[in-house]
Amino acid sequence: MKDAAPKTIYLKDYTPFGFTVEEVHLTFDLAPGATRVKSRIRFAPRGGADDRRFFLHGEDLTLIRAAIDGKEVQPTLTAEGLTCDVPDAAFTWEAEVEIDPAGNTALEGLYMSNGMYCTQCEAEGFRKITYYPDRPDVMSTFTVRINGDLPVMLSNGNPVQQGEGWAEWHDPWPKPAYLFALVAGDLVAHSDSFTTCSGKEVDLNLWVRPGDEGKCAWGMEALKKSMRWDEEVYGREYDLEVFNIVAVDDFNMGAMENKGLNIFNSSAVLASPETATDANFERIEAIIAHEYFHNWTGNRITCRDWFQLCLKEGLTVFRDAQFTADMRSEPVKRISDVIDLRARQFPEDNGPLAHPVRPESFQEINNFYTATVYEKGAEVIGMLKRLVGDAAYAEALDLYFARHDGEACTIEDWLRVFEDVTGRDLGQFKRWYSQAGTPRLKVEEDWQDGTYTLTFTQTTPPSAASPEPQPQVIPINLGLLGPNGDEVKETETLEMTEARQAFTFTGLSAKPVPSILRGFSAPVILDRDSSTAERAFLLAHDTDPFNRWEAGGALARATLNAMALEDAAPDAAYLDGMLAVLRDDTLDPAYRALMLALPGQSELAAMQAEAGHTPDPRAIWTACETLRQALAQHAQDTLPRIWETCRIDAPYRPDAEQSGKRALAGAVLSLITRLDGGALAASQYGSADNMTLQVSALSCLLKAGKGQAETAAFYAQWQQDRLVIDKWFMLQVLQAAPETAAATAKTLTEHADFNWKNPNRFRAVLGALTGNHAGFHAADGAGYALLADWLIRLDPVNPQTTARMCAAFQTWRRYDARRQGLIRAQLDRIAAQPGLSRDTTEMITRIQGN
Ligand code: BES
Ligand code: ZN
């Protein structure tokens, strides 16, 4: 149902619902084109409520009948729901509606994927299943009966009973409707069990389509590790008899934390060594953990309204990052997260889509599942932990769980537990939740008579969301190194609260080299004019692994910018520094692999724009190519030896140790391919017995403009495996040269297997195009036009996925007038589509800046 005039919802307008829901009974009579949903819901007037209007959300529903206390009623229907006169006391509401799962291509509400029924209700999808107060602060227990002829029929909570053609489920934990789930299909289980810390036995099932049984073991291991970790680190025990996970092929997001019945995009859970890469395995481990952790941070304690989304998402991302750091390597996880933050959140925070971690208004909530809410939201929690210390953090979390279990909460509730535990006033800290934009942190240093002073200045660029930004609390982790590389001052957290603030250090015998913002202790842009020599020194000596990596990145950025803007030659200090890192076998291979990667090309463009230049995507691409070639030549004699040290003789395992070695081998292979014309990559491809090796070899070959035979062979080998074929589509676009990327993508959209209604497949091609910076921004505008064509086509079918992908245009103001004109023309063309969804309309309008 399209809105004529989009409505804006404001945080300040929050009012509680006038009724409580005591219990919900649902009966589903499944049929693909005409499923009947009967609801029986016990409502009671809420004490103290002044708004007693009885409004239930409902969209795309056909109402068959409605009754109150058994007597039929005639509610007033609108496109958004219904209103009805109700008694002044508790009453039972009954309704029967008809819905069309088979016709539901938006993948929100109850829909079908490969003959299987499944649901996605967050944020506001339950209203497409039946009439209900579809808001997170209305919590109730649910009993669900499913009638249908499918072998497996699941819902939330514990199984009550089942028979031929029916199954009944009961979830004893009150929950908001967005956590409701139903799955029915021809599924098989990979089963296991877990004994909780108090000795309760939980049945664990991972439900998949027949044929996918062999891809379940890793997800199950990840689930058990997550359950144990949450007990040990956060003291959180699981609370039902069964935990079900279902893999579905058509899913807008990665996965969803429905109570006791998580639903996963199959790409986020299914893996075998032959079909999934190390990166896939790591992502699966993290997503399983994330959704599992929501059981406490999200489900037991939920959000009062969708403005508080970061309450559950920021915290759960923070928790899953801690988990991954514990399972694998802390510095490697931290560096990967910062790479991701800079690639996805910084552009958002510094462009037309900027919004606070807790937004104050929205039109379509689905557009606010953003890197800012998630990743910056997690960073804010990291800062809070840094400021109060580990012990107080643990105490505050215990208090949070004890005080708010079973409630729908706000950021105020969250901060109050920290204030109560520490006695601190978090008033200024709260600006991290209310203010948009990335703070810039400028540093000046002074050295006089043994006294060393660092003066910091913070400024946040104003945005539409935050026109007058105020100084924020910035925890700055600082260490000082002596001239010989020894640490003369261990890491200390400086607490910056003023716009400009100095910190003084005495008792030093020589001018130190500062290591600032260790571990990336705050999500800011550090603006420091340091010399190449100082960066090279930190790259060689910093004891903080994050800042050591950062020093390498700073050298890379400096030389790439000089190469792209001034035609400079590759910097010898960068090449020497990288060679030293590459050769240093005491360093974790995974860490060395990260070191060898260049900064993202889009990030370089952002930096150039910030420095007042107009970035040229083609020139940035050329600079990166030239630098990689120079590094390959510089490291020529070392590469084969490193390659040898990465050899693995043991059977494949996707753990940190093996995947680190394969990552370094992959980085080395990409350099060797620049020297040997692809011989080693071709031979690796030929003998690869796992997907990580297959993909790294094929990537190198495609990058070198070769690999036609391998590309064909890959397709022939894997054409029956959707997840692998997604990779096949993606790699060809990602590795294409700037001039051919759009054409390659276009050709692939004409391939018989380009099933564009499947979000994974759509993203594999169009998402990869936007990830190929120089290709997407090719001067002729072909990349822009192709993306816009497909967004226009997808919007009526799947508004959520369309709207998310509009973000590729958010950086348009960085580029030259010609490119700006080309992008604006595409934005205008999309905006002019009749019947454009509310999701896409909001995104385009915000990007246009109207
Ligand atoms: N609750 C979300 C899933 C979701 C997002 C539902 C948006 C509806 C709209 C889930 O917990 C989540 O955050 N999933 C992430 C993965 C996670 C590891 C950050 C996702 O799906 O990308
Ligand atoms: Zn989440």
Side-chain angles (χ1 to χ4, degrees):
M1 198 60 54
K2 313 241 149 42
D3 284 13
K7 270 201 294 273
T8 302
I9 323 280
Y10 295 92
L11 167 60
K12 63 175 165 47
D13 291 344
Y14 173 82
T15 45
F17 187 51
F19 303 82
T20 56
V21 177
E22 286 163 9
E23 48 177 347
V24 177
H25 286 259
L26 300 173
T27 303
F28 288 81
D29 295 316
L30 296 176
T35 288
R36 287 286 173 105
V37 185
K38 294 189 208 100
S39 57
R40 195 171 81 244
I41 307 169
R42 187 78 188 150
F43 286 99
R46 211 178 53 82
D50 25 61
D51 186 0
R52 277 290 155 69
R53 217 169 45 103
F54 186 72
F55 171 76
L56 302 180
H57 295 103
E59 279 175 27
D60 304 338
L61 306 173
T62 305
L63 180 63
I64 308 295
R65 71 176 270 277
I68 288 180
D69 290 333
K71 273 218 276 304
E72 203 152 315
V73 291
Q74 306 293 335
T76 309
L77 304 184
T78 71
E80 278 100 47
L82 63 74
T83 54
C84 193
D85 291 331
V86 299
D88 238 350
F91 61 93
T92 299
W93 163 267
E94 285 172 282
E96 180 170 356
V97 302
E98 190 172 293
I99 54 180
D100 174 13
N104 180 352
T105 57
L107 315 182
E108 191 188 37
L110 179 67
Y111 64 94
M112 302 203 70
S113 170
N114 290 318
M116 165 179 153
Y117 292 85
C118 60
T119 54
Q120 173 55 41
C121 293
E122 187 178 3
E124 299 181 334
F126 191 74
R127 62 191 62 184
K128 295 182 165 183
I129 294 176
T130 191
Y131 288 100
Y132 196 74
D134 188 8
R135 37 186 294 167
D137 58 345
V138 173
M139 298 169 81
S140 174
T141 57
F142 282 65
T143 305
V144 177
R145 181 180 167 111
I146 310 167
N147 299 320
D149 57 5
L150 291 152
V152 176
M153 301 195 284
L154 311 170
S155 190
N156 313 90
N158 299 317
V160 179
Q161 255 191 326
Q162 53 183 311
E164 190 60 31
W166 64 278
E168 200 173 303
W169 292 80
H170 175 70
D171 182 359
W173 298 101
K175 67 166 176 290
Y178 83 85
L179 291 172
F180 169 81
L182 178 153
V183 170
D186 181 9
L187 298 169
V188 288
H190 175 100
S191 302
D192 205 326
S193 76
F194 179 83
T195 308
T196 71
C197 50
S198 75
K200 286 186 215 108
E201 177 112 340
V202 182
D203 291 335
L204 310 177
N205 302 298
L206 175 44
W207 296 94
V208 299
R209 290 198 292 150
D212 283 336
E213 300 91 331
K215 295 182 173 180
C216 298
W218 180 251
M220 185 58 81
E221 287 312 306
L223 175 59
K224 290 189 289 182
K225 285 188 279 186
S226 306
M227 295 178 85
R228 191 61 72 210
W229 187 91
D230 214 16
E231 292 183 345
E232 289 173 357
V233 180
Y234 279 83
R236 298 296 108 203
E237 187 181 4
Y238 187 61
D239 54 6
L240 290 167
E241 293 155 27
V242 48
F243 190 81
N244 285 314
I245 294 179
V246 183
V248 305
D249 288 333
D250 299 280
F251 201 73
N252 282 330
M253 302 292 293
M256 177 64 208
E257 70 266 26
N258 317 300
K259 183 81 188 192
L261 179 51
N262 288 2
I263 297 183
F264 273 62
N265 187 320
S266 50
S267 74
V269 59
L270 299 184
S272 68
E274 298 71 36
T275 60
T277 62
D278 290 331
N280 296 147
F281 278 95
E282 180 171 344
R283 174 165 178 261
I284 288 166
E285 185 179 84
I287 301 198
I288 294 258
H290 178 96
E291 307 309 339
Y292 175 73
F293 296 159
H294 269 314
N295 192 53
W296 275 94
T297 53
N299 301 2
R300 290 285 286 259
I301 303 180
T302 193
C303 302
R304 186 193 71 175
D305 54 68
W306 292 119
F307 297 103
Q308 321 295 331
L309 182 59
C310 64
L311 180 78
K312 75 174 176 84
E313 294 301 348
L315 177 54
T316 305
V317 170
F318 181 73
R319 274 152 50 71
D320 82 54
Q322 289 181 300
F323 169 79
T324 297
D326 281 357
M327 294 299 121
R328 293 167 180 259
S329 147
E330 184 175 334
V332 167
K333 174 61 175 165
R334 187 64 189 139
I335 292 166
S336 315
D337 281 351
V338 173
I339 291 171
D340 183 63
L341 189 79
R342 286 177 174 154
R344 300 193 304 114
Q345 200 275 327
F346 281 20
E348 199 168 270
D349 223 358
N350 296 283
L353 298 176
H355 56 276
V357 169
R358 182 173 68 176
E360 262 139 45
S361 68
F362 61 74
Q363 287 171 14
E364 172 51 60
I365 183 56
N366 282 319
N367 290 333
F368 282 84
Y369 285 73
T370 61
T372 298
V373 170
Y374 275 66
E375 273 70 39
K376 191 176 178 181
E379 290 297 320
V380 172
I381 292 173
M383 286 190 286
L384 196 51
K385 181 161 177 282
R386 225 157 273 135
L387 289 168
V388 304
D390 293 353
Y393 174 82
E395 228 186 294
L397 268 104
D398 287 344
L399 179 59
Y400 179 63
F401 294 122
R403 187 185 279 177
H404 294 296
D405 187 12
E407 293 180 0
C409 294
T410 61
I411 287 304
E412 282 74 16
D413 297 324
W414 163 253
L415 289 175
R416 196 169 309 112
V417 297
F418 282 85
E419 293 191 321
D420 289 353
V421 160
T422 62
R424 281 174 87 110
D425 175 357
L426 292 172
Q428 186 186 2
F429 184 82
K430 198 175 167 190
R431 285 180 191 150
W432 281 108
Y433 285 101
S434 60
Q435 206 164 275
T438 310
R440 289 1 182 220
L441 194 59
K442 254 194 166 318
V443 196
E444 300 150 65
E445 63 176 344
D446 184 61
W447 168 250
Q448 260 172 37
D449 310 326
T451 301
Y452 183 67
T453 305
L454 284 172
T455 305
F456 297 94
T457 312
Q458 58 164 306
T459 44
T460 302
S463 58
S466 301
E468 287 175 25
Q470 303 296 307
Q472 283 168 229
V473 184
I474 302 180
I476 305 169
N477 278 8
L478 175 80
L480 298 177
L481 300 175
N484 61 356
D486 290 348
E487 191 159 75
V488 294
K489 206 187 79 59
E490 279 183 19
T491 306
E492 173 194 346
T493 303
L494 310 176
E495 209 174 306
M496 182 179 189
T497 55
E498 311 289 325
R500 185 177 166 85
Q501 204 168 338
F503 297 87
T504 297
F505 308 90
T506 52
L508 300 164
S509 55
K511 181 172 186 256
V513 175
S515 169
I516 304 170
L517 212 67
R518 282 184 159 178
F520 202 67
S521 58
V524 301
I525 295 173
L526 185 61
D527 184 359
R528 175 168 155 75
D529 276 329
S530 58
S531 63
T532 300
E534 187 184 295
R535 287 169 179 154
F537 176 87
L538 288 173
L539 173 60
H541 299 293
D542 204 324
T543 51
D544 180 70
F546 178 85
N547 266 11
R548 192 169 175 188
W549 169 80
E550 186 82 310
L555 282 174
R557 284 188 280 267
T559 186
L560 287 168
N561 283 336
M563 291 166 75
L565 296 166
E566 298 147 27
D567 242 354
D571 175 12
Y574 169 79
L575 298 174
D576 289 341
M578 280 303 133
L579 185 56
V581 166
L582 187 62
R583 282 181 173 153
D584 186 348
D585 293 333
T586 66
L587 293 173
D588 176 5
Y591 180 76
R592 281 187 275 165
L594 283 173
M595 275 277 196
L596 285 181
L598 291 183
Q601 294 178 29
S602 181
E603 188 192 332
L604 291 164
M607 281 183 64
Q608 292 183 8
E610 173 135 347
H613 304 286
T614 302
D616 174 354
R618 186 64 169 70
I620 291 173
W621 179 84
T622 305
C624 290
E625 288 297 304
T626 309
L627 189 61
R628 295 292 287 171
Q629 190 65 37
L631 182 59
Q633 271 148 10
H634 196 65
Q636 196 157 10
D637 301 335
T638 310
L639 296 173
R641 183 186 72 76
I642 307 295
W643 169 265
E644 278 307 312
T645 65
C646 292
R647 197 182 280 287
I648 296 169
D649 292 322
Y652 179 93
R653 272 183 292 118
D655 60 5
E657 193 195 331
Q658 279 199 9
S659 57
K661 281 189 174 177
R662 280 187 290 268
L664 182 56
V668 167
L669 181 65
S670 80
L671 293 172
I672 291 178
T673 304
R674 290 173 182 275
L675 304 171
D676 76 353
L680 184 61
S683 120
Q684 174 174 315
Y685 188 87
S687 61
D689 59 358
N690 64 66
M691 186 48 65
T692 307
L693 294 180
Q694 232 180 339
V695 160
S696 72
L698 184 58
S699 297
C700 289
L701 291 169
L702 289 167
K703 181 96 223 288
K706 312 200 160 162
Q708 285 87 340
E710 287 81 0
T711 305
F714 189 100
Y715 180 79
Q717 184 183 357
W718 295 114
Q719 55 180 305
Q720 300 311 324
D721 190 309
R722 305 155 102 96
L723 296 175
V724 181
I725 292 302
D726 285 338
K727 298 184 204 303
W728 181 82
F729 276 97
M730 188 183 72
L731 287 174
Q732 296 180 66
V733 180
L734 216 49
Q735 302 300 341
E739 285 68 28
T740 56
T744 303
K746 188 161 197 296
T747 306
L748 287 171
T749 61
E750 288 150 12
H751 193 282
D753 289 343
F754 182 67
N755 169 12
W756 57 276
K757 295 183 183 175
N758 174 268
N760 292 355
R761 192 59 51 90
F762 189 93
R763 281 189 289 254
V765 176
L766 282 316
L769 177 62
T770 68
N772 183 332
H773 182 253
F776 180 54
H777 292 283
D780 61 1
Y784 307 147
L786 184 69
L787 180 65
D789 285 349
W790 279 101
L791 294 177
I792 288 168
R793 188 146 173 202
L794 186 63
D795 186 65
V797 168
N798 186 334
Q800 259 187 58
T801 290
T802 308
R804 298 195 132 249
M805 292 193 61
C806 292
F809 289 122
Q810 72 181 315
T811 57
W812 66 279
R813 281 198 171 83
R814 280 183 198 161
Y815 300 97
D816 53 276
R818 229 185 83 80
R819 284 188 174 85
Q820 287 195 13
L822 290 167
I823 299 178
R824 248 185 298 126
Q826 299 303 337
L827 292 171
D828 291 346
R829 184 159 74 94
I830 299 170
Q833 294 303 309
L836 197 69
S837 69
R838 172 174 57 191
D839 310 56
T840 303
T841 304
E842 182 186 27
M843 291 297 282
I844 297 292
T845 313
R846 286 165 64 211
I847 291 169
Q848 287 172 319
N850 301 336

